[in-house]
Amino acid sequence: MDDLLAQNAMKIILFAGDARVNCKNALTATEKNDFEKATAEMKAAKKNITEAHKVQTQAIQNEMGEDSKSKPHSLLFTHAQDTLMTIYSEINIANHLIKIAKQLDERLKNIEK
């Protein structure tokens, strides 16, 4: 594996990992009905996962422009892609959970009135 591919794999893992932390923070804030913080954390998660996806896309485009048969398979890059997709799924689920929590909170506030 060449150095650039390894660097790209690590960038993907780091950006995606940061997105996971943002997502976890958003869910923790949601537990406390702090939807403002949850929204801010999910915005940061989206930014980080988008950066990871950009690195992945660029790496794939770079490989397609070269003779891909001369490139060995990279287990680290495969791991990075797996990490990216897993955390992307976590973000999607968290967005839905936060939406549900907001709706429940609003309903409870209306009942309490």
Side-chain angles (χ1 to χ4, degrees):
M1 172 175 49
D2 66 11
D3 288 342
L4 180 60
L5 188 59
Q7 289 172 5
N8 285 336
M10 292 308 299
K11 284 179 186 178
I12 292 167
I13 292 167
L14 291 172
F15 278 123
D18 288 346
R20 177 177 270 160
V21 169
N22 296 129
C23 188
K24 182 182 180 302
N25 291 343
L27 290 172
T28 300
T30 299
E31 290 173 4
K32 300 173 185 173
N33 291 333
D34 187 350
F35 298 114
E36 188 175 315
K37 180 174 181 178
T39 299
E41 288 287 347
M42 290 308 293
K43 184 178 179 181
K46 182 177 179 178
K47 180 182 177 203
N48 280 315
I49 206 72
T50 298
E51 290 301 317
H53 191 259
K54 285 179 185 177
V55 174
Q56 177 197 33
T57 301
Q58 187 62 52
I60 291 169
Q61 288 174 345
N62 287 347
E63 185 173 315
M64 294 200 52
E66 301 170 4
D67 180 15
S68 61
K69 292 182 181 181
S70 66
K71 294 276 187 181
H73 175 75
S74 167
L75 185 58
L76 180 61
F77 193 75
T78 300
H79 171 65
Q81 290 179 300
D82 181 50
T83 300
L84 171 64
M85 295 310 299
T86 300
I87 297 170
Y88 188 75
S89 293
E90 290 175 14
I91 289 170
N92 284 333
I93 292 168
N95 278 323
H96 287 290
L97 289 173
I98 293 167
K99 183 178 178 180
I100 291 167
K102 284 180 181 179
Q103 290 172 349
L104 289 173
D105 186 57
E106 198 59 39
R107 287 181 183 177
L108 287 173
K109 286 178 181 175
N110 288 335
I111 290 171
E112 292 171 350
K113 289 179 185 177

